[in-house]
Amino acid sequence: MVKVIIGHKGSGKTNMMISLANDQSEKVDGSVIFINRNSRLTCDLKYRIRVVCMEDFPGITDSDEYIGFIYGIISSDHDIETIYIDSILKFPNFSLGDLPRFLERLDAISKNYGMDFVVSLSADKEEMIGVDFSKYEILNQ
């Protein structure tokens, strides 16, 4: 399942994701992955969570490459329970127009591999034209 956290900068999305990931890491046998733009959250997340800092992978510049990167993570760990993706709309060359297809692809990956995604989106729901929110669980509304 794909779960989303929606709101503009400063609305508490990242703190909510950190709390969810930390809580989940204590309850699951599998892996919890947290993808962030940089390493600033590393100390806030529990040691059992694998933190992936996207600044370490500057060659990933658009949504297609990002999806390929997620497949790479999945291929290296078959016990993933949840992948948290923080602030996807703040990545270079990723726009609101890319969002509907990106979320649909995450949903397909989720169903195919039996894992969840939690994605924070820095925008208002009304700005995300083309996204069918009936397919996704909104965690903060």
Side-chain angles (χ1 to χ4, degrees), residues 38-54:
N38 52 42
S39 61
R40 74 176 175 87
L41 300 178
T42 303
C43 294
D44 297 327
L45 293 162
K46 294 194 176 177
Y47 73 94
R48 291 191 67 214
I49 298 171
R50 179 175 171 204
V51 180
V52 177
C53 304
M54 291 307 293

Side-chain angles (χ1 to χ4, degrees), residues 5-119:
I5 300 172
I6 300 171
H8 282 285
K9 183 176 180 175
S11 62
K13 296 179 306 300
T14 299
N15 286 337
M16 184 178 184
M17 287 183 74
I18 289 169
S19 178
L20 289 169
N22 283 337
D23 289 347
Q24 183 181 20
S25 72
E26 298 292 324
K27 300 173 186 170
V28 296
D29 293 325
S31 302
V32 176
I33 313 292
F34 198 102
I35 302 174
N36 192 34
R37 289 184 328 180
N38 52 42
S39 61
R40 74 176 175 87
L41 300 178
T42 303
C43 294
D44 297 327
L45 293 162
K46 294 194 176 177
Y47 73 94
R48 291 191 67 214
I49 298 171
R50 179 175 171 204
V51 180
V52 177
C53 304
M54 291 307 293
E55 65 186 8
D56 295 337
F57 304 95
I60 298 171
T61 59
D62 63 27
S63 64
D64 288 335
E65 291 170 351
Y66 203 95
I67 290 291
F69 184 74
I70 289 171
Y71 276 117
I73 291 172
I74 293 167
S75 71
S76 70
D77 185 348
H78 298 284
D79 294 325
I80 297 173
E81 303 235 357
T82 304
I83 297 178
Y84 291 82
I85 303 173
D86 190 29
S87 302
I88 188 66
L89 291 173
K90 292 183 181 176
F91 284 92
N93 301 323
F94 200 102
S95 69
L96 284 169
D98 298 320
L99 196 56
R101 185 165 184 259
F102 180 76
L103 291 174
E104 288 169 6
R105 291 173 81 184
L106 288 183
D107 191 47
I109 293 169
S110 170
K111 290 174 182 167
N112 195 30
Y113 292 96
M115 66 178 61
D116 291 332
F117 288 92
V118 178
V119 183

